[in-house]
């Protein structure tokens, strides 16, 4: 039976959804999660801000032996979402070990930029 790989807590300190995009692509960011275990991973996501209370207890599920790309613009709790043009940070907690990567497509200019980094695992 495949086992879980990774850690249960991951931190992404730099998040930002630009207000404007140019061209055909829309700027976006994604939390990319890999679940190597047979069972589903139940995530609890918190979004932290500089000037307001966090958005807490955002639930996501990543099926066993699957990957899931979670667009940060789709994350919401009680009708509140991440506003564009506002810096934020992310904490991802899971009930089983997972791997978390973070990707950003910056389409604010004609020459798009793609950035992808591994999130910071908390042991």
């Amino acid at each position: 039976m495949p086992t879980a790989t990774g850690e249960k807590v991951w931190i992404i300190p730099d998040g930002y959804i630009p207000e404007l995009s140019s061209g055909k692509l829309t700027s976006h960011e994604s939390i990319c999660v890999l679940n190597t275990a047979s069972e589903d991973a139940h995530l609890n996501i918190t979004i932290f801000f500089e000037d307001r209370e966090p958005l807490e207890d955002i639930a996501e599920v990543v099926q066993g032996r699957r990957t899931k790309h979670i667009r940060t613009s789709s994350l919401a709790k009680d009708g509140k979402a991440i506003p564009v043009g506002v810096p934020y940070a992310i904490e991802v907690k899971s009930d089983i070990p997972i791997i978390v990567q973070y990707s950003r497509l910056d389409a604010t200019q004609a020459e798009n930029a793609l950035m992808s980094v591994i999130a910071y695992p908390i042991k």
Side-chain angles (χ1 to χ4, degrees), residues 29-40:
E29 300 186 343
S30 294
I31 303 167
C32 310
V33 181
L34 172 61
N35 178 7
T36 61
S38 295
E39 68 266 25
D40 293 351

Side-chain angles (χ1 to χ4, degrees), residues 3-123:
T3 59
T5 303
E7 296 294 339
K8 292 183 177 182
V9 180
W10 294 82
I11 302 295
I12 302 162
D14 176 33
Y16 184 82
I17 303 170
E19 296 177 57
L20 302 174
S21 297
S22 67
K24 295 180 181 179
L25 298 175
T26 301
S27 294
H28 67 271
E29 300 186 343
S30 294
I31 303 167
C32 310
V33 181
L34 172 61
N35 178 7
T36 61
S38 295
E39 68 266 25
D40 293 351
H42 297 88
L43 309 183
N44 184 301
I45 300 171
T46 300
I47 308 297
F48 295 93
F49 301 100
E50 294 177 353
D51 60 351
R52 63 193 83 191
E53 290 300 308
L55 293 176
E56 299 181 89
D57 301 320
I58 302 169
E60 290 283 340
V61 176
V62 182
Q63 293 180 333
R65 311 279 297 151
R66 298 288 186 267
T67 185
K68 185 171 185 177
H69 292 70
I70 305 163
R71 287 231 182 153
T72 58
S73 59
S74 72
L75 296 175
K77 182 68 175 187
D78 299 328
K80 295 180 183 176
I82 301 171
V84 297
V86 173
Y88 62 93
I90 305 168
E91 177 185 65
V92 178
K93 291 184 176 181
S94 176
D95 62 339
I96 63 172
I98 55 171
I99 303 292
V100 176
Q101 178 180 326
Y102 191 62
S103 296
R104 174 184 292 159
L105 173 65
D106 184 344
T108 56
Q109 12 183 357
E111 297 77 21
N112 296 317
L114 181 64
M115 181 269 303
S116 187
V117 297
I118 197 74
Y120 186 83
I122 305 297
K123 297 182 186 270

